[in-house]
Amino acid sequence: MAQCVQSVQEYIQDSFVPMVAVLCSEDAERVTRKNSLSFPELLRPFCRLTSEGHLRDPNNQVVVVKGLRISVTGINTRPPQTPEMQRLLSQAVSVCQPPEVSPANVITAGDYDLNISDRTVKASVPWYSDWKETLTQLSSSKYYTATTPWFETYRENFLQSMPASEHEFLNHYLACMLVVSSCEAVPTERFLKLSQEQHRIQHSGEYTHPKWFIPNTLKYYVLLHDISEGDEQRADSVYEDMKQRYGTQGCYLLKINSRSGSTGADEQMPDPWSQYLHKTSIHNPELYEESAVSNAVENNIGAEEGGLDPSIRDGVSETHPLQLDQPTDAGYPSNNASQSVNNVDMTRPQKQASVTSHTTPTPRGTCLTLNDHDHIRQFIQEFTFRGLLPHIEKNIRQLNDQLVSRKGLSRSLFSATKKLFGGGKVPEKSIAELKNTAGLLYPSEAPELQIRKMADLCFLVQHYELAYNCYHTAKKDFLSDQAMLYAAGALEMAAVAAFLQSGAPRPYPAHYMDTAIQTYRDVCKNMLLAERCCLLSAEILKSQTKYSDAATLLIKMTSEDSDLRSALLLEQAAHCFINMRGPMVRKFAFHMILAGHRFSKAGQKRHALRCYCQALQVYKGKGWALAEDHINFTIGRQSFTLRQPDNAVAAFRHILINDSKQSAVQQTAFLREYLYVYKSMSQVTGDGSLPQLPLPCLHSSQTRVFCGHERRLAEGEKQAATHVSLDQEFDRDLSQLWRELEERVVAVVNRGAVPITFQPSQCCLNSQTDNLRYPLAVVEEPIIVEVVFRNPLKVPLALSALCLLWKFTPKDFSDPQGSTAGETITNEKEATMALNGIIDTQVIPEFTITPEETKVARLKLLPHKTGELHVLGVVYNLDTGEVDNSEGSLAEDLMCVRGQQNLEIQGSRLNMTKEEKTSVTYGPDHRLDPIITPPMPLLEVFFINFPTGLLCGEIRKAWVEFVNMSAVPLTGLRVASTHPEFFTFGSAASDLTPVTPTAAEHCSAYKTVAMPPSVETVSLVSPAAFGVTSGDRPVVAEIPLSQGVLGPGEALQIPLWLRGPDREGVHEINFLFYYESTEKTAKLSHRVLRHTAFICASRSLSIRATASRSNTLHSRERETEERQEEEEKNGSMLVFVDVENINTSEAGVREFHIVQVSSSSRQWRLHKCINPVGDKDSKLASRERGKLCFKATRCRTEEGGIVSSTTPCADFFFRRGLPSEPRRGGVSTGGASQMWRQSGTDDGVTNIVKKCSEVELDIIVLWKAYVVEDNKQLILEGQLHVALQTIGKEACSLSQKEETQEMVLLKFKPDIPPPVSKPSLEQLSHLIKTCLHYPESYDHPFPQKSLCMVPVTLTLSNCSLAQVDVIVDLRHKTTSPESLEVHGSFSWLGQTQYKLQLQAQEVYRLSLKACFFQAGVYNLGTPRVFAKLAQTSAMCETSQQSAMPALIIINSV
């Protein structure tokens, strides 16, 4: 149970107090009425004694009475009937609400921090998410400290309104005060009349009520003296007479009204009566009105026809706040029974003070001073100590004596005597009389009742030990007589008395209470007594920390006959669960829900709302989805009923935004309820601003923004550039590639440097792009915002009139400062159509989202002015997607509400500086804040006859069309590509005929001339003519425009040559078109257009080329010796070209023809084709191979020579790309030097050695392919490139795929210096070229002359550009027997080892003599030549590659 203000002992003592009746004369009543009080009301604040009282029990032991309170009421006070009592209790609970300003009360229960206070309505519901921050204090005690004042109010009023019962005497009158004014003519006669009236009421038998404790009721005579009007001496004399007549202990002179009501009215006097007479005072006055007027009281109690009684509205009652004016009842003394019996009710209708009217209540006690307060307090003390307590003591003794005198009789004889003399029980007379009994009533003089009477008297004066003994004795007697009502009462009070005994001599007998409750409820059918018993027992159990037992007891007392009682008891049971040693938080929440439900049925809307809100703290966020939905739904309804539309909308919103597990029907009901509440709230507020809607869910972070024109579709043969669109998926790597391409173009435009202010073009912005800068959009070009909606419900949602919400600030960017040209405009409150002149806003009329669907809406804005635009959110009408024809369109309109949702996007986390890395900070995201810039040109690109598939190396001609779609001229058109070798626009000098694509349909891509076969033609071509100016491939190409400008609406068509990639497969080729405006603007310097083409390359030919040195002797028929030396210096070389058709005929290719072989080099040229088949084309069908042999000679000039020197052959040759090594020779003038970066002498050595074996000859093979497609024969053309670099090393047109390296463990070591580059042995073996000159056959007469001497010339040619030391060793190797067999039996005569030094490119002839002993065939190629560079002294000589076998035939003649 909740914490109470009083302790359990104080609560029980105040529940059972001595009752004192009051009879006033009219004059006495008039004296008290000056203070707006009746006499009982005048005494009420002073009825608790501040000092201890004493009396003696029958054993002459002193009993100390502490803190005794007496109850003084009018003699004709009537407790309300059950329906009226229920209504008044309901009102008392309704008006007692927690104050709004009390501190929050937080209880820590297990893992939960529960806020049980006035703020729980705010603190626990979902719209108050940070409720913990509102807490102003925490519970410092480990015990539960939550209070429920409404429960205490209910309990207090309930106990005070209990009707007097026959089976107990606790609320029977013990005494009667007879009050007469001192201004009466004969006060003593008035006292006599009042005394007779009291005697008549008690003993005449006319009245069943009030009940009197004992026959000889104490009469206490009070003379009331009005000091401001009466004669004090007369009053004193009358009082003296009274003391003589009634004794000093039976009368009292009470002097009040020391001042008149008019004098000193401005002086503020304390008002002790307010807390007693204003129990219904409330913190919020409108609550009373709501509870009294708006709410039905009990589900089984009808509302009163006359509304509230005036006395209740006054808050003034004679006995307690629930007293009602009632019609005269025969069982009660009425106002007209005697002139001397007066009641406050006679004057009450004249009162006008009303709580419901919110007027200030009439001040009370205006004629009383503090001395008068003391007089009243002294009077009560005198009455109690000198009158009431002695009277009780005397009666206890008398009752005890009677009981002791009867103890001697046996129990059976005593019972027989009772039967003989009529002292037994009387049978039931009427149902009305015995409705609270179990069928038996005892007469008033019955001994059992005398014991009960004595026990009640002892209990009232706090003599609990004697009271317990008497209750226990009476209980046995009642049970033996089967008088169950009496027995239950004795059990109840015995248990309470046992608990209250000081020192706790015996444990609390809880089973007594359980039996009493069960008897009251089940046997006697008296729920009032059962409820009282339950309230007492629960409070006692709580004080003993038996919360589980208390909760069980409270739950048992809930029933269908009273929703209010059940609600209050369930709430207290919930508090018991949370206050256990191990708090049962979920049980607390469950019973709070039950309590809230019963409060709602009882009409207590605010209490119901509070209970549900407290329970929600437990269920919220724990996965109890259905329970949470039910609670929020109830909170929404109750809040709406209590005119709290904001809270209602927030609660319904919470149901809808979560992933609900409800059925579709239930979700529809929730949605309709929300729309209705929302509609009602919007009508009430009517401030014009649109509130936030919870549905559908808006994924703000997934919002995408597209700035720029929409892509045009292909028209006929034209294929439009792909550009960027919202339909494309974002690829971070691809985005980086486009950015690098754009940077290259910008660097070319800006003479090699990228400006600091460079901002890459971003047409489509999303969560993965860089949104730290404001995006740039162009005026008169649409901005498309893609918004992602998700419907979390199982029912469709219908959105209508969907459009973007924006804010726009006009600015003039032609001004350098960018001054603001107008005020900020928004379409939040103004009609969208009215602002279409500034920004044209697209409105989607209908947008339906099916159940649990995620759907994208694309909303368009078209700005007509420059400035700063901010997209704030979306605005739409929300409706249920289900159309019910029976309700009609009117109902649909009623359920349709208009609202908005904001697009709030959190930027990416910053992670650059140390501060950003150590903290969690997010950067801005400006994708929804575009800057509208002045007009810019807009380019569209169309491709005509653009292929999708090519053979490797195939040349195809296509056309490209550039169209300026804007009203601004365009200039500076350039294109960049990731594959510049794939296409060319031709050289500036190339012939651009034919001029149209249709005329060029059947023409060859090559320019051909008539010339004889197998004849060389040499053309000198500069790479610069084809856009190649450096070692890098030409990534950026400038597109020529007429006069450099493409005007508004103009179009330009130019040819485009394409060459199939060298590798088969699907290739993605990216084009970036760059262009600028003729007028430079500060915001947007350029624009780009992207195009991605996919080309499928099929296999064609594989070409392998090998170069080998020619060892042939030069012809001796040269004209001069100088010419011969020059030829020998230049040298010659054989080039073998191996061609294989690797096409598998999947593209319909029948055969390939090798049309032409061209070469390109700065040092070599193809001189002659050695073709065994004559001058016919080489034909290769599928899987066939062929080999061509060419003779190459050195060029005389240093200029590059290329045979096929026109577009497009030359373009693609210069644009070709080597996979790994840089190009050298005629194509790349500075390529070779970039590879060597070592310092020192080795650099020069390596270069010299390397050039000995370098060839640097590029072969271009032109071919034709005959293709059959759709029963037509087509001729395809193409070219392949092979780069020969080293003698004897094979080169291939297809780059070999690198083998994938195995993954190895990386070890981090300090970087070691790179090794010094040294020439390899293979390179060093090519320093010297050797050649033997000798006759092929030699005749010698061996029979005559046995020794044959043959002269042989050994020619040594230095291939390097430096001095070379040469050693020639003529001795045969004898290390293996094979050498003798190979060389035969000949030997060199003369000097057998020479040491020579050859200058750069020097040719040296050495004359030798070979000696033969017999005829035969001999190999003269035995001389070994060793060489080293003269400048490298540390190096050893390297063996040079020997020449081919030199065979000589020796004939014997």
Side-chain angles (χ1 to χ4, degrees):
M1 294 176 67
Q3 182 73 24
C4 297
V5 177
Q6 292 179 308
S7 68
V8 60
Q9 288 82 6
E10 292 172 344
Y11 160 64
I12 295 175
Q13 288 173 10
D14 283 358
S15 300
F16 303 102
V17 296
M19 302 282 291
V20 179
V22 173
L23 260 178
C24 274
S25 68
E26 293 180 3
D27 289 342
E29 188 68 34
R30 194 161 40 248
V31 171
T32 59
R33 275 295 163 197
K34 287 184 177 181
N35 297 289
S36 303
L37 296 165
S38 66
F39 188 76
E41 291 171 346
L42 180 71
L43 302 184
R44 187 165 300 165
F46 311 100
C47 284
R48 185 179 296 279
L49 301 181
T50 55
S51 56
E52 296 179 352
H54 301 85
L55 53 82
R56 291 184 180 273
D57 65 0
N59 295 327
N60 215 26
Q61 298 293 322
V62 175
V63 178
V64 180
V65 184
K66 297 180 179 178
L68 181 66
R69 186 177 73 86
I70 63 173
S71 175
V72 182
T73 56
I75 199 169
N76 60 343
T77 301
R78 298 180 296 279
Q81 296 300 313
T82 302
E84 297 163 324
M85 187 171 77
Q86 293 279 22
R87 189 185 70 172
L88 297 176
L89 286 173
S90 177
Q91 291 169 357
V93 171
S94 179
V95 299
C96 187
Q97 298 287 341
E100 286 294 325
V101 293
S102 68
N105 194 0
V106 175
I107 308 306
T108 301
D111 296 333
Y112 298 84
D113 289 335
L114 300 179
N115 183 8
I116 315 293
S117 74
D118 59 294
R119 292 185 184 265
T120 46
V121 175
K122 295 177 182 177
S124 60
V125 285
W127 59 86
Y128 207 80
S129 57
D130 298 329
W131 60 273
K132 288 186 180 180
E133 297 179 7
T134 67
L135 308 179
T136 54
Q137 74 175 45
L138 290 171
S139 173
S140 57
S141 170
K142 65 178 180 179
Y143 298 107
Y144 196 52
T145 57
T147 59
T148 48
W150 48 91
F151 173 69
E152 295 180 50
T153 301
Y154 171 87
R155 192 175 60 179
E156 180 182 349
N157 288 307
F158 171 78
L159 291 171
Q160 289 183 2
S161 60
M162 286 282 292
S165 175
E166 295 288 349
H167 77 288
E168 63 182 9
F169 303 94
L170 290 165
N171 51 358
H172 292 195
Y173 285 126
L174 269 169
C176 183
M177 290 183 183
L178 306 176
V179 186
V180 174
S181 173
S182 62
C183 62
E184 297 262 0
V186 186
T188 52
E189 290 184 7
R190 198 65 178 155
F191 276 125
L192 183 59
K193 287 183 179 181
L194 292 179
S195 177
Q196 292 170 352
E197 181 65 26
Q198 187 276 330
H199 189 272
R200 184 179 67 83
I201 291 171
Q202 181 175 357
H203 296 291
S204 66
E206 298 177 17
Y207 308 106
T208 57
H209 292 83
K211 302 287 186 183
W212 301 92
F213 206 109
I214 40 183
N216 56 338
T217 302
L218 170 67
K219 296 187 179 73
Y220 198 77
Y221 301 91
V222 181
L223 183 65
L224 191 62
H225 178 63
D226 187 342
I227 297 176
S228 62
E229 292 183 1
D231 185 352
E232 193 167 348
Q233 290 183 352
R234 181 173 181 272
D236 290 339
S237 64
V238 172
Y239 178 55
E240 290 296 327
D241 183 35
M242 290 170 58
K243 285 195 287 185
Q244 296 295 327
R245 187 185 298 268
Y246 307 119
T248 55
Q249 294 184 352
C251 59
Y252 192 84
L253 172 61
L254 178 59
K255 299 179 180 180
I256 60 171
N257 295 351
S258 297
R259 61 175 184 175
S260 62
S262 58
T263 60
D266 55 341
E267 184 182 349
Q268 186 68 35
M269 292 295 292
D271 183 6
W273 295 273
S274 59
Q275 58 179 317
Y276 295 95
L277 305 181
H278 269 124
K279 285 290 184 183
T280 54
S281 66
I282 49 180
H283 305 286
N284 298 319
E286 66 271 11
L287 296 177
Y288 192 92
E289 184 178 5
E290 281 179 16
S291 64
V293 180
S294 302
N295 299 336
V297 183
E298 285 278 344
N299 61 335
N300 54 351
I301 306 294
E304 297 296 317
E305 293 180 4
L308 288 180
D309 190 271
S311 64
I312 299 306
R313 289 199 297 271
D314 291 347
V316 179
S317 174
E318 182 177 348
T319 56
H320 52 76
L322 300 177
Q323 176 62 39
L324 273 177
D325 283 336
Q326 293 176 336
T328 303
D329 190 308
Y332 288 86
S334 67
N335 293 338
N336 299 324
S338 168
Q339 292 296 323
S340 62
V341 184
N342 295 311
N343 191 19
V344 308
D345 301 335
M346 297 171 65
T347 57
R348 192 173 291 150
Q350 280 74 40
K351 285 184 176 261
Q352 298 300 321
S354 170
V355 176
T356 55
S357 61
H358 301 179
T359 57
T360 305
T362 306
R364 297 178 179 84
T366 53
C367 298
L368 301 176
T369 62
L370 293 178
N371 285 334
D372 292 334
H373 293 186
D374 292 339
H375 292 160
I376 298 170
R377 195 175 289 110
Q378 184 66 31
F379 159 64
I380 292 295
Q381 195 139 334
E382 284 289 322
F383 163 73
T384 307
F385 290 161
R386 304 187 64 180
L388 185 60
L389 289 181
H391 176 69
I392 294 173
E393 180 182 343
K394 182 180 72 172
N395 279 281
I396 291 174
R397 286 181 181 276
Q398 289 178 359
L399 291 169
N400 184 64
D401 292 343
Q402 292 178 20
L403 295 173
V404 169
S405 65
R406 295 182 182 181
K407 269 187 178 179
L409 299 173
S410 67
R411 178 71 177 143
S412 59
L413 180 61
F414 184 42
S415 302
T417 308
K418 283 194 287 183
K419 291 177 183 177
L420 288 172
F421 294 97
K425 306 162 191 67
V426 295
E428 184 178 356
K429 295 287 182 71
S430 67
I431 296 175
E433 291 175 355
L434 304 179
K435 62 182 178 180
N436 290 333
T437 70
L440 289 175
L441 277 178
Y442 288 96
S444 59
E445 65 276 7
E448 293 86 352
L449 290 189
Q450 303 305 314
I451 297 176
R452 171 66 200 241
K453 195 175 291 185
M454 178 179 170
D456 287 347
L457 281 174
C458 293
F459 188 89
L460 289 174
V461 293
Q462 304 174 10
H463 193 352
Y464 299 120
E465 184 177 359
L466 183 55
Y468 173 78
N469 292 330
C470 293
Y471 284 132
H472 198 266
T473 303
K475 181 248 316 180
K476 292 180 180 178
D477 290 346
F478 292 140
L479 285 175
S480 65
D481 292 339
Q482 291 296 303
M484 299 310 296
L485 177 64
Y486 295 89
L491 282 167
E492 175 188 5
M493 297 311 297
V496 175
F499 170 73
L500 291 175
Q501 285 185 55
S502 60
R506 55 180 59 83
Y508 168 65
H511 59 286
Y512 279 15
M513 279 293 196
D514 296 340
T515 306
I517 292 172
Q518 186 176 0
T519 305
Y520 281 142
R521 187 181 60 198
D522 299 337
V523 180
C524 307
K525 309 297 182 187
N526 192 322
M527 290 301 294
L528 290 179
L529 293 172
E531 184 178 350
R532 182 188 71 180
C533 196
C534 172
L535 294 174
L536 293 172
S537 182
E539 194 67 32
I540 292 170
L541 290 171
K542 186 194 79 170
S543 69
Q544 296 178 336
T545 66
K546 297 177 180 177
Y547 292 104
S548 179
D549 296 340
T552 305
L553 182 64
L554 291 164
I555 294 169
K556 278 184 180 179
M557 274 305 296
T558 59
S559 62
E560 291 300 319
D561 64 323
S562 173
D563 288 316
L564 180 63
R565 179 185 71 236
S566 299
L568 289 164
L569 297 185
L570 284 168
E571 183 182 15
Q572 294 305 308
H575 286 290
C576 288
F577 287 124
I578 203 176
N579 200 34
M580 293 179 180
R581 181 170 296 176
M584 305 174 76
V585 184
R586 289 196 294 273
K587 275 202 171 185
F588 158 79
F590 180 71
H591 285 84
M592 287 301 280
I593 294 293
L594 296 177
H597 175 66
R598 298 303 289 271
F599 270 129
S600 181
K601 288 178 69 177
Q604 302 286 341
K605 304 296 183 186
R606 287 184 178 272
H607 286 296
L609 179 61
R610 176 183 50 76
C611 288
Y612 276 101
C613 290
Q614 288 182 4
L616 185 61
Q617 296 176 94
V618 176
Y619 286 110
K620 184 172 63 175
K622 299 294 187 300
W624 298 75
L626 297 178
E628 207 172 335
D629 287 349
H630 167 76
I631 296 171
N632 279 305
F633 183 72
T634 310
I635 288 174
R637 277 201 161 177
Q638 299 285 16
S639 299
F640 183 69
T641 307
L642 292 170
R643 298 193 286 276
Q644 299 174 5
D646 291 341
N647 292 353
V649 167
F652 282 118
R653 175 189 178 91
H654 189 72
I655 301 175
L656 298 173
I657 58 176
N658 285 347
D659 290 331
S660 175
K661 295 181 174 60
Q662 302 284 356
S663 65
V665 176
Q666 191 65 47
Q667 288 182 356
T668 304
F670 286 162
L671 181 58
R672 286 182 174 275
E673 193 94 14
Y674 169 78
L675 294 176
Y676 176 74
V677 171
Y678 179 92
K679 190 91 171 177
S680 304
M681 184 192 75
S682 59
Q683 289 172 352
V684 170
T685 55
D687 55 356
S689 62
L690 294 173
Q692 299 289 322
L693 287 174
L695 290 173
C697 298
L698 187 60
H699 296 305
S700 296
S701 62
Q702 298 180 23
T703 302
R704 298 196 296 167
V705 180
F706 180 77
C707 303
H709 69 293
E710 297 180 42
R711 179 190 169 201
R712 289 178 56 180
L713 298 175
E715 300 173 1
E717 291 293 321
K718 292 184 179 181
Q719 177 187 346
T722 54
H723 194 43
V724 183
S725 72
L726 289 170
D727 298 323
Q728 300 169 356
E729 290 292 329
F730 178 78
D731 186 335
R732 189 179 295 277
D733 296 335
L734 196 59
S735 175
Q736 181 63 25
L737 184 145
W738 288 116
R739 177 188 177 122
E740 291 172 0
L741 273 180
E742 187 174 353
E743 283 182 354
R744 288 188 184 184
V745 187
V746 171
V748 168
V749 172
N750 290 277
R751 298 176 182 175
V754 178
I756 301 174
T757 58
F758 168 71
Q759 182 175 349
S761 302
Q762 286 184 321
C763 295
C764 187
L765 301 167
N766 55 39
S767 57
Q768 299 181 62
T769 54
D770 180 14
N771 303 322
L772 293 176
R773 300 187 184 182
Y774 291 95
L776 301 175
V778 179
V779 69
E780 302 296 343
E781 290 187 18
I783 300 169
I784 301 173
V785 179
E786 182 184 88
V787 184
V788 180
F789 290 108
R790 183 177 69 86
N791 180 7
L793 304 182
K794 298 182 180 71
V795 296
L797 295 176
L799 277 59
S800 57
L802 174 63
C803 65
L804 289 172
L805 184 68
W806 49 262
K807 182 174 68 175
F808 181 70
T809 306
K811 285 197 173 183
D812 184 7
F813 292 113
S814 59
D815 185 7
Q817 283 78 27
S819 60
T820 304
E823 295 183 356
T824 301
I825 306 159
T826 179
N827 67 338
E828 186 172 5
K829 295 184 180 179
E830 296 183 49
T832 302
M833 301 299 292
L835 299 173
N836 279 352
I838 300 169
I839 292 183
D840 200 335
T841 307
Q842 178 194 11
V843 178
I844 299 178
E846 290 184 357
F847 188 79
T848 303
I849 311 175
T850 57
E852 298 180 337
E853 179 192 14
T854 299
K855 194 172 181 180
V856 170
R858 291 180 180 172
L859 299 161
K860 189 188 299 183
L861 297 176
L862 184 63
H864 299 298
K865 292 187 177 180
T866 59
E868 295 176 355
L869 177 65
H870 303 278
V871 179
L872 306 175
V874 289
V875 187
Y876 54 92
N877 297 327
L878 177 62
D879 194 1
T880 57
E882 299 172 349
V883 179
D884 191 351
N885 296 328
S886 62
E887 294 184 9
S889 60
L890 181 61
E892 288 297 318
D893 292 341
L894 290 174
M895 300 305 290
C896 182
V897 298
R898 186 159 185 82
Q900 69 180 45
Q901 283 200 64
N902 291 339
L903 284 166
E904 297 173 349
I905 304 175
Q906 185 185 57
S908 58
R909 182 176 173 183
L910 301 177
N911 201 25
M912 299 296 289
T913 64
K914 182 180 179 182
E915 291 76 13
E916 291 170 352
K917 289 179 180 179
T918 54
S919 62
V920 181
T921 54
Y922 294 91
D925 192 305
H926 292 303
R927 76 181 91 158
L928 293 173
D929 307 322
I931 295 175
I932 313 301
T933 62
M936 283 288 288
L938 185 61
L939 178 70
E940 276 282 13
V941 178
F942 298 96
F943 296 90
I944 306 166
N945 298 334
F946 198 89
T948 56
L950 292 171
L951 293 173
C952 292
E954 179 188 347
I955 305 291
R956 187 79 64 89
K957 189 175 185 180
W959 293 78
V960 62
E961 181 179 25
F962 300 99
V963 184
N964 185 358
M965 308 294 293
S966 67
V968 181
L970 176 153
T971 186
L973 181 57
R974 291 173 173 84
V975 61
S977 176
T978 52
H979 297 70
E981 72 277 5
F982 171 70
F983 72 98
T984 177
F985 291 102
S987 64
S990 63
D991 189 1
L992 293 181
T993 58
V995 292
T996 61
T998 53
E1001 189 173 353
H1002 300 291
C1003 294
S1004 171
Y1006 293 113
K1007 182 179 179 183
T1008 57
V1009 292
M1011 58 185 294
S1014 302
V1015 176
E1016 59 174 339
T1017 304
V1018 179
S1019 301
L1020 302 182
V1021 180
S1022 169
F1026 296 92
V1028 182
T1029 56
S1030 66
D1032 293 327
R1033 285 180 285 172
V1035 177
V1036 181
E1038 189 165 353
I1039 298 170
L1041 299 174
S1042 58
Q1043 298 177 354
V1045 174
L1046 190 64
E1050 291 184 4
L1052 171 68
Q1053 277 190 356
I1054 60 174
L1056 175 72
W1057 283 272
L1058 308 172
R1059 178 177 176 271
D1062 288 325
R1063 279 193 179 181
E1064 65 171 328
V1066 178
H1067 297 261
E1068 180 180 336
I1069 298 164
N1070 299 307
F1071 298 88
L1072 183 79
F1073 296 94
Y1074 169 100
Y1075 57 98
E1076 302 171 354
S1077 173
T1078 52
E1079 296 180 6
K1080 302 298 181 186
T1081 59
K1083 287 291 180 186
L1084 200 57
S1085 60
H1086 67 274
R1087 300 188 83 174
V1088 296
L1089 176 67
R1090 301 175 183 176
H1091 175 64
T1092 301
F1094 291 91
I1095 298 294
C1096 180
S1098 304
R1099 293 181 181 182
S1100 57
L1101 298 177
S1102 169
I1103 299 177
R1104 298 173 183 271
T1106 314
S1108 59
R1109 280 210 177 96
S1110 172
N1111 292 320
T1112 55
L1113 289 168
H1114 296 289
S1115 171
R1116 297 185 183 273
E1117 297 173 359
R1118 301 291 181 184
E1119 293 179 0
T1120 61
E1121 186 68 25
E1122 290 141 6
R1123 172 72 178 269
Q1124 184 179 351
E1125 286 181 6
E1126 189 179 342
E1127 284 287 339
E1128 289 174 354
K1129 276 188 180 180
N1130 289 334
S1132 62
M1133 184 171 63
L1134 291 179
V1135 176
F1136 296 92
V1137 179
D1138 194 345
V1139 183
E1140 180 186 2
N1141 180 358
I1142 57 173
N1143 184 274
T1144 54
S1145 301
E1146 71 266 10
V1149 180
R1150 283 197 319 171
E1151 58 185 12
F1152 285 89
H1153 287 213
I1154 308 300
V1155 177
Q1156 180 178 322
V1157 179
S1158 304
S1159 67
S1160 166
S1161 175
R1162 296 178 62 194
Q1163 300 173 352
W1164 300 88
R1165 62 188 176 92
L1166 293 184
H1167 181 66
K1168 187 178 182 181
C1169 176
I1170 306 165
N1171 192 349
V1173 296
D1175 295 331
K1176 297 179 180 178
D1177 286 349
S1178 300
K1179 296 180 183 179
L1180 294 175
S1182 178
R1183 309 302 297 268
E1184 291 185 342
R1185 300 176 71 152
K1187 196 157 192 170
L1188 303 176
C1189 182
F1190 298 91
K1191 181 181 179 183
T1193 58
R1194 286 190 181 271
C1195 300
R1196 295 194 182 94
T1197 60
E1198 288 298 315
E1199 286 295 327
I1202 182 164
V1203 178
S1204 300
S1205 58
T1206 58
T1207 296
C1209 183
D1211 293 84
F1212 287 119
F1213 171 73
F1214 284 122
R1215 289 170 180 267
R1216 77 198 185 285
L1218 294 178
S1220 58
E1221 299 180 19
R1223 292 171 305 285
R1224 290 173 293 283
V1227 178
S1228 175
T1229 54
S1233 62
Q1234 293 176 1
M1235 290 189 67
W1236 315 105
R1237 301 189 179 180
Q1238 300 304 321
S1239 59
T1241 59
D1242 287 328
D1243 184 18
V1245 170
T1246 307
N1247 263 336
I1248 291 167
V1249 172
K1250 193 170 177 60
K1251 286 192 176 183
C1252 293
S1253 57
E1254 274 185 358
V1255 178
E1256 294 184 0
L1257 174 66
D1258 291 299
I1259 305 295
I1260 304 166
V1261 177
L1262 306 184
W1263 50 261
K1264 285 185 179 181
Y1266 292 86
V1267 179
V1268 178
E1269 189 176 294
D1270 296 334
N1271 296 324
K1272 293 180 181 178
Q1273 178 168 313
L1274 303 178
I1275 300 176
L1276 305 181
E1277 299 171 302
Q1279 67 188 58
L1280 294 171
H1281 312 126
V1282 183
L1284 275 170
Q1285 296 181 359
T1286 311
I1287 289 177
K1289 192 172 183 180
E1290 185 180 64
C1292 183
S1293 64
L1294 295 176
S1295 58
Q1296 301 297 321
K1297 293 183 179 178
E1298 296 180 1
E1299 295 182 3
T1300 54
Q1301 295 180 349
E1302 292 185 7
M1303 187 177 293
V1304 294
L1305 181 66
L1306 292 176
K1307 293 183 179 179
F1308 294 94
K1309 295 182 178 179
D1311 292 338
I1312 56 174
V1316 177
S1317 176
K1318 293 183 178 180
S1320 65
L1321 290 175
E1322 183 186 1
Q1323 291 172 336
L1324 289 171
S1325 67
H1326 290 296
L1327 290 175
I1328 300 296
K1329 177 182 173 183
T1330 61
C1331 186
L1332 287 169
H1333 294 263
Y1334 58 93
E1336 290 184 10
S1337 64
Y1338 193 83
D1339 297 335
H1340 180 74
F1342 281 99
Q1344 285 88 23
K1345 199 173 182 180
S1346 63
L1347 204 60
C1348 176
M1349 307 285 288
V1350 179
V1352 178
T1353 303
L1354 175 64
T1355 305
L1356 301 174
S1357 176
N1358 184 0
C1359 297
S1360 70
L1361 299 175
Q1363 276 190 348
V1364 176
D1365 291 337
V1366 181
I1367 294 177
V1368 181
D1369 189 357
L1370 300 180
R1371 292 173 297 174
H1372 297 318
K1373 282 185 179 179
T1374 57
T1375 54
S1376 63
E1378 289 84 1
S1379 62
L1380 292 174
E1381 296 175 6
V1382 172
H1383 303 144
S1385 53
F1386 89 96
S1387 63
W1388 299 99
L1389 295 180
Q1391 187 175 345
T1392 57
Q1393 186 164 331
Y1394 298 85
K1395 185 173 182 183
L1396 308 170
Q1397 191 172 57
L1398 271 67
Q1399 300 300 319
Q1401 292 189 336
E1402 179 186 352
V1403 178
Y1404 185 83
R1405 292 180 177 82
L1406 192 63
S1407 297
L1408 304 175
K1409 291 278 186 178
C1411 180
F1412 301 92
F1413 308 107
Q1414 61 187 24
V1417 179
Y1418 296 90
N1419 179 13
L1420 296 179
T1422 59
R1424 287 176 292 166
V1425 180
F1426 300 91
K1428 71 166 186 176
L1429 295 173
Q1431 60 187 4
T1432 56
S1433 58
M1435 271 188 173
C1436 297
E1437 290 84 356
T1438 306
S1439 174
Q1440 300 300 293
Q1441 285 186 346
S1442 61
M1444 300 292 289
L1447 299 179
I1448 185 170
I1449 302 172
I1450 304 295
N1451 297 317
S1452 177
V1453 293

